[in-house]
């Protein structure tokens, strides 16, 4: 493998895809196997093995996922300013392997310790490998979107395999083996990266002491989007003891994460505080700009606030829907194919994304050629309409159930198909529109706001799931079916109202966005 490649040599590749893309593809695929495999086990494991109530399991699921997204932003900042993407990715991978290993050793006794390691590890790993994919392309390279489409497929293949395999192995064979499998595939991911990183040349290396960083590509910070590159000049920081301080600090914060996830009232305090503080800071920063820039930032805040609502409803996937799948779904597809309903709950969305992401991209291109492509606000509104449709179908599973409260897995999967359509209307434009609406010097702040919104969405999802679960805590399967589906009908109504509001206010938001499409 050729060493000492320059950035120009890497970006001057022939054909459709740079070879480095495939190395990063496989590293990310196995890491996402680990992440979504772990995510898919959390709620079910807490209820059936730790004997937590449905309510508490939902709250702790929401807290865990909220901290994952919060630490993703923090990990990205440390990578950008101190460690570089490669060291950050390696450190995050090590922490994820340790966390999964702890859970494989004794998931009952050390559950929250293992989860805390994986939360912090994911924060260091998740944003940085995607960012390196963006670095493989020159700004304006028409092949860039195709490269991210391939990379996105790797993400969803990993999520599909891990989401189904881990929960099925845990339920049917051994939870030690299920968490151990997550540790094994994470090790494969890290080893793949270690043995192929020489092909990346300067990409991902920490900045030198006297280097002035000019080009900061925010590409792929969120796994679903490819935002515009930003150009920011700032003096880099790279002192060796800073690296050790980051490592030590990330280890020191693990006990704190354990406490806040296990005692969700502390998570409440954190979430009630960080949002208002961040918003006040953003208002302060906005005061430094003229009215045209402020209007764009107000438009960005509209997208941020609605994204919290969207993810709060959507992320029932890992919470209340996981318990619904375990308690109220049959295990047959098409009448004869036997599948684990929790595995289907974890994997269906990824399968549909793999199938339909390319189709949706072609659809938008075709509508754009005819000059009838919906604008960004309308797409956000359509995302909520599809989300509402999916939860109305989740509600409708009550009409396809037997006398024991066991509903049709087929209908459940159709709901996920419609939900995926909603995701594809919203996810691919989220962070991208943040960078387009933000002044260059505020793009880091707005990236943080978007991640914080995702964290709030996860947190809200836990609260909503806890509310649904608490209402049916001691019910029979038939009563649980009624309780859960009634909750999904309410969420469907909220989604529909949010979508209608967005579409109604789209002319106002479009004016605030000005020339941004």
């Amino acid at each position: 493998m050729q060493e000492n490649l320059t950035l120009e040599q890497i970006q001057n590749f022939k054909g459709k895809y740079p070879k480095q893309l495939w190395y990063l593809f496989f590293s990310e695929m196995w890491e996402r196997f680990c992440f979504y495999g772990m995510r898919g086990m959390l709620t079910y494991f807490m209820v059936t093995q730790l004997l937590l109530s449905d309510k508490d399991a939902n709250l702790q699921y929401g807290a865990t996922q909220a901290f994952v997204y919060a630490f993703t932003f923090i990990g990205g900042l440390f990578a950008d300013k101190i460690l570089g993407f490669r060291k950050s990715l390696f450190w995050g991978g090590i922490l994820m392997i340790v966390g999964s290993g702890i859970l494989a050793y004794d998931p009952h006794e050390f559950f929250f310790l293992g989860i805390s390691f994986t939360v912090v590890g994911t924060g260091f790993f998740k944003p940085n490998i995607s960012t390196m994919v963006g670095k493989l392309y020159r700004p304006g390279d028409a092949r860039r979107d195709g490269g991210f489409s391939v990379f996105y497929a790797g993400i969803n293949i990993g999520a599909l395999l891990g989401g189904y395999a881990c929960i099925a192995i845990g339920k049917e064979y051994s939870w030690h083996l299920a968490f151990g499998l997550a540790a094994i595939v994470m090790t494969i991911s890290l080893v793949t990266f270690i043995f192929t990183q020489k092909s990346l040349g300067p990409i991902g290396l920490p900045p030198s002491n006297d280097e002035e960083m000019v080009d900061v590509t925010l590409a792929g910070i969120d796994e679903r989007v490819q935002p515009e590159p930003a150009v920011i000049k700032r003096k880099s920081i790279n002192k060796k003891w800073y690296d050790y301080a980051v490592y030590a600090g990330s280890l020191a914060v693990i006990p704190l994460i354990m406490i806040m996830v296990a005692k969700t009232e502390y998570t409440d305090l954190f979430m009630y505080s960080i949002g208002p503080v961040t918003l006040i800071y953003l208002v302060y920063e906005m005061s430094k700009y003229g009215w045209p820039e402020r209007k764009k930032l107000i438009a960005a805040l509209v997208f941020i606030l609605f994204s919290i609502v969207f993810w709060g409803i959507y992320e029932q996937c890992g919470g209340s829907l996981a318990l619904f799948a375990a308690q109220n779904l049959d295990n047959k597809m098409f009448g004869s194919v036997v599948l684990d309903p929790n595995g289907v709950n974890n994997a269906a969305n990824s399968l549909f994304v793999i199938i339909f992401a390319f189709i949706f991209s072609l659809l938008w291109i075709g509508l754009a050629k005819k000059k009838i492509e919906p604008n960004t606000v309308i797409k956000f509104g359509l995302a909520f309409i599809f989300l509402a449709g999916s939860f109305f179908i989740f509600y409708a599973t009550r009409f396809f159930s037997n006398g024991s409260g066991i509903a049709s897995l087929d209908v459940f999967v159709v709901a996920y198909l419609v939900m995926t359509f909603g995701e594809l209307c919203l996810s691919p434009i989220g962070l991208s529109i943040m960078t387009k609406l933000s002044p260059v010097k505020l793009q880091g702040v707005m990236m943080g706001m978007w991640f914080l919104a995702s964290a709030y969405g996860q947190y809200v999802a836990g609260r909503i799931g806890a509310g649904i679960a608490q209402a049916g805590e001691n019910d029979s399967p038939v009563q649980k079916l009624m309780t859960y589906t009634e909750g999904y009908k309410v969420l469907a109504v909220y989604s529909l109202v949010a979508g209608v509001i967005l579409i109604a206010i789209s002319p106002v938001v479009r004016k605030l966005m000005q020339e941004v499409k």
Side-chain angles (χ1 to χ4, degrees):
M1 187 177 297
Q2 185 180 353
E3 298 182 35
N4 301 321
L5 290 170
T6 66
L7 186 61
E8 183 178 357
Q9 287 175 319
I10 293 171
Q11 294 178 340
N12 192 33
F13 63 90
K14 306 298 181 183
K16 292 184 178 180
Y17 310 107
K19 66 178 182 180
Q20 294 85 353
L21 175 66
W22 301 106
Y23 305 146
L24 297 174
F25 170 98
F26 283 108
S27 290
E28 179 73 346
M29 184 183 79
W30 292 120
E31 185 273 338
R32 291 290 90 183
F33 184 113
C34 174
F35 176 81
Y36 281 101
M38 296 276 285
R39 172 183 178 268
M41 292 188 281
L42 287 181
T43 308
Y44 182 88
F45 183 86
M46 285 189 282
V47 169
T48 62
Q49 301 298 306
L50 302 184
L51 304 181
L52 271 63
S53 68
D54 291 2
K55 174 189 173 183
D56 288 340
N58 272 280
L59 288 174
Q60 291 179 342
Y61 169 79
T64 300
Q65 294 299 105
F67 282 118
V68 163
Y69 277 84
F71 270 88
T72 297
F73 174 57
I74 294 170
L77 286 180
F78 280 131
D80 192 31
K81 294 187 176 182
I82 299 175
L83 295 179
F85 301 126
R86 293 195 207 177
K87 285 184 181 178
S88 181
L89 184 150
F90 181 80
W91 179 239
I94 291 294
L95 292 177
M96 292 180 74
I97 292 168
V98 171
S100 301
I102 289 171
L103 290 167
Y105 174 71
D106 192 338
H108 299 84
E109 183 69 25
F110 300 118
F111 180 77
F112 290 109
L113 176 61
I115 288 299
S116 299
F117 267 94
T118 60
V119 165
V120 179
T122 303
F124 279 95
F125 192 106
K126 185 176 186 290
N128 298 313
I129 194 166
S130 301
T131 305
M132 285 190 281
V133 172
K135 294 281 189 180
L136 299 176
Y137 296 87
R138 290 192 182 97
D141 190 328
R143 298 170 292 182
R144 183 169 176 269
D145 285 352
F148 266 100
S149 295
V150 168
F151 188 69
Y152 189 34
I155 289 168
N156 284 282
I157 291 169
L160 171 66
L161 297 175
Y164 190 90
C166 289
I167 187 73
I169 289 171
K171 290 172 70 174
E172 296 297 325
Y173 298 102
S174 163
W175 290 107
H176 297 279
L177 181 59
F179 287 112
L181 178 61
I184 291 168
V185 296
M186 190 62 231
T187 303
I188 294 171
S189 170
L190 200 57
V191 169
T192 301
F193 179 76
I194 290 170
F195 280 97
T196 60
Q197 63 175 325
K198 290 181 180 179
S199 69
L200 294 170
I203 294 175
L205 294 175
S208 62
N209 284 330
D210 56 354
E211 177 187 0
E212 187 180 62
M213 298 177 65
V214 176
D215 182 20
V216 177
T217 305
L218 299 176
I221 296 292
D222 187 298
E223 62 193 26
R224 300 180 177 92
V225 300
Q226 310 115 51
E228 296 298 311
V231 178
I232 306 171
K233 291 186 177 182
R234 67 178 185 276
K235 205 70 176 178
S236 65
I237 301 172
N238 183 33
K239 295 180 180 178
K240 202 67 180 176
W241 68 269
Y242 282 16
D243 292 5
Y244 298 131
V246 171
Y247 300 147
S250 54
L251 290 174
V253 81
I254 286 173
L256 182 62
I257 298 297
M258 282 182 61
I259 293 170
M260 288 198 287
V261 171
K263 305 288 186 181
T264 54
E265 56 267 30
Y266 294 120
T267 305
D268 295 343
L269 182 62
F270 175 80
M271 299 304 288
Y272 293 154
S273 304
I274 192 68
V277 170
T278 307
L279 195 59
I280 291 170
Y281 176 72
L282 179 61
V283 170
Y284 166 73
E285 289 289 349
M286 287 171 63
S287 67
K288 300 177 182 178
Y289 293 90
W291 184 234
E293 289 82 5
R294 292 182 196 175
K295 287 195 290 186
K296 290 179 184 178
L297 289 168
I298 292 171
L301 281 175
V302 172
F303 289 118
I304 286 171
L305 291 173
F306 274 91
S307 75
I308 294 174
V309 178
F310 183 89
W311 296 121
I313 297 172
Y314 175 98
E315 281 296 333
Q316 295 307 303
C317 303
S320 69
L321 282 169
L323 298 179
F324 181 75
Q327 299 163 353
N328 292 105
L329 287 183
D330 65 25
N331 64 350
K332 289 186 173 64
M333 283 281 291
F334 312 119
S336 59
V337 181
V338 177
L339 294 171
D340 182 90
N342 280 103
V344 172
N345 176 65
N346 295 339
N349 172 247
S350 296
L351 175 62
F352 291 137
V353 168
I354 293 169
I355 295 171
F356 288 100
F358 182 66
I359 296 174
F360 264 69
S361 68
L362 291 179
L363 173 65
W364 300 137
I365 291 171
L367 293 176
K369 287 181 178 178
K370 295 181 179 181
K371 298 184 178 180
I372 55 173
E373 182 187 10
N375 63 50
T376 300
V377 194
I378 297 296
K379 287 180 182 177
F380 259 65
L382 289 173
F384 278 96
I385 302 299
F386 280 121
L387 187 66
S390 70
F391 275 87
F392 274 123
I393 298 172
F394 285 132
Y395 164 72
T397 55
R398 63 163 59 186
F399 304 117
F400 298 87
S401 62
N402 59 28
S404 301
I406 305 301
S408 167
L409 184 60
D410 292 333
V411 177
F412 187 80
V413 170
V414 171
Y416 263 109
L417 173 63
V418 177
M419 181 188 286
T420 301
F421 293 162
E423 177 187 349
L424 292 173
C425 286
L426 182 140
S427 288
I429 55 177
L431 189 56
S432 180
I433 201 64
M434 291 299 103
T435 59
K436 290 176 181 177
L437 289 171
S438 310
V440 170
K441 291 184 179 179
L442 268 188
Q443 292 201 349
V445 173
M446 296 310 294
M447 181 179 70
M449 289 289 288
W450 181 260
F451 273 115
L452 191 59
S454 298
Y456 269 95
Q458 304 289 337
Y459 172 74
V460 168
R463 305 291 294 185
I464 292 172
I468 294 173
Q470 185 178 26
E473 191 73 55
N474 300 309
D475 288 350
S476 67
V478 174
Q479 291 171 318
K480 279 183 181 290
L481 176 67
M482 296 296 110
T483 301
Y484 272 71
T485 54
E486 190 64 29
Y488 297 146
K489 182 176 75 171
V490 172
L491 293 181
V493 172
Y494 287 159
S495 299
L496 184 61
V497 170
V500 170
I501 291 173
L502 258 176
I503 293 171
I505 66 173
S506 62
V508 176
V509 180
R510 283 288 300 115
K511 286 183 179 179
L512 291 171
M513 294 169 66
Q514 299 164 76
E515 79 283 358
V516 177
K517 301 299 183 184

